[in-house]
Amino acid sequence: AQSVTQLDSQVPVFEEAPVELRCNYSSSVSVYLFWYVQYPNQGLQLLLKYLSGSTLVESINGFEAEFNKSQTSFHLRKPSVHISDTAEYFCAVSDRENQGGKLIFGQGTELSVKP
Amino acid sequence: SAVISQKPSRDICQRGTSLTIQCQVDSQVTMMFWYRQQPGQSLTLIATANQGSEATYESGFVIDKFPISRPNLTFSTLTVSNMSPEDSSIYLCSVGQPGTQYFGPGTRLTVL
């Protein structure tokens, strides 16, 4: 079984500041790792994912996440945030053996970017 | 990627009634999933729906409360039965493709 822990429920930051949203997971099998974003009153969108290869993955809007197997972490970072990044961010894992299989989500981190 | 639509987008229902939520995908997919997002909470998997077989429910969810149909490879329904205010949530369907899942826009349900 897998579990995901997002260590911060809320992260308030000022515009143009750097941010890190932390995610740790637990699993007895190899996993895929994902970050999803949910903007206010909108659906869930895939932000980035780690499947294999380079442990550093990037999104098109400047976010990046690094898979750290020894620390079982997949923290999300952005060097300079915008007001428009205000949203709920969810870390999730799925079992590698069951491609396209069910996702286990963390509790979510509310990122609030202030001017 | 897959384009997923859900109907209705939102509804307000009375206690004790049932609501059926539809999920339509623009391509054939083997695995479909139904999630629930309670107010201020994360997403919890209700069940996995594969075409041609019974849905597989997660712990805490039962078929009598959340019956699911999967008549073909592009469509599924989730019924929320005998609703109570505790069922007020966003219900999302998703489809699994290798290494990722795509989510529908969700159905926002309020039970009075």
Side-chain angles (χ1 to χ4, degrees):
Chain A
Q2 295 97 39
S3 67
V4 179
T5 303
Q6 292 181 241
L7 297 163
D8 307 294
S9 60
Q10 295 180 321
V11 175
V13 295
F14 288 105
E15 193 174 19
E16 298 183 2
V19 70
E20 178 180 80
L21 308 184
R22 296 179 292 169
C23 173
N24 286 91
Y25 70 93
S26 173
S27 177
S28 58
V29 299
S30 295
V31 296
Y32 295 125
L33 294 155
F34 307 88
W35 276 98
Y36 283 85
V37 59
Q38 188 174 38
Y39 296 103
N41 298 312
Q42 294 190 28
L44 208 63
Q45 301 175 31
L46 178 66
L47 185 61
L48 48 75
K49 61 185 177 183
Y50 171 75
L51 303 182
S52 64
S54 172
T55 57
L56 184 66
V57 291
E58 299 177 351
S59 72
I60 59 173
N61 59 352
F63 282 94
E64 64 179 30
E66 185 161 20
F67 169 53
N68 188 319
K69 187 175 182 179
S70 63
Q71 297 187 7
T72 60
S73 68
F74 191 55
H75 302 331
L76 182 69
R77 302 184 182 95
K78 189 170 185 179
S80 176
V81 295
H82 301 132
I83 298 287
S84 60
D85 292 324
T86 295
E88 188 88 16
Y89 292 79
F90 294 98
C91 182
V93 302
S94 70
D95 181 352
R96 277 182 174 269
E97 298 303 315
N98 187 10
Q99 289 190 350
K102 65 182 182 182
L103 288 167
I104 306 300
F105 284 87
Q107 299 90 331
T109 297
E110 182 182 349
L111 175 63
S112 177
V113 182
K114 305 179 186 305
Chain B
S1 65
V3 177
I4 305 168
S5 60
Q6 287 186 233
K7 291 181 181 179
S9 59
R10 60 177 63 226
D11 206 343
I12 301 174
C13 300
Q14 296 296 320
R15 179 196 298 262
T17 62
S18 297
L19 176 72
T20 295
I21 302 168
Q22 299 179 8
C23 177
Q24 181 75 52
V25 188
D26 68 341
S27 58
Q28 294 184 340
V29 293
T30 303
M31 304 179 77
M32 295 181 75
F33 305 88
W34 287 98
Y35 290 83
R36 179 176 74 181
Q37 186 178 21
Q38 294 177 298
Q41 303 292 317
S42 186
L43 285 82
T44 302
L45 181 66
I46 298 172
T48 302
N50 293 333
Q51 195 268 337
S53 63
E54 294 287 328
T56 303
Y57 290 83
E58 297 297 307
S59 176
F61 298 96
V62 295
I63 187 171
D64 289 346
K65 176 66 176 177
F66 297 101
I68 288 172
S69 77
R70 181 79 201 275
N72 57 52
L73 292 173
T74 63
F75 187 79
S76 178
T77 67
L78 169 76
T79 299
V80 186
S81 303
N82 189 24
M83 289 183 285
S84 68
E86 292 70 34
D87 294 318
S88 297
S89 296
I90 299 173
Y91 292 86
L92 302 100
C93 70
S94 74
V95 300
Q97 296 187 1
T100 197
Q101 278 189 28
Y102 299 99
F103 285 82
T107 295
R108 185 180 295 271
L109 171 63
T110 301
V111 183
L112 302 178

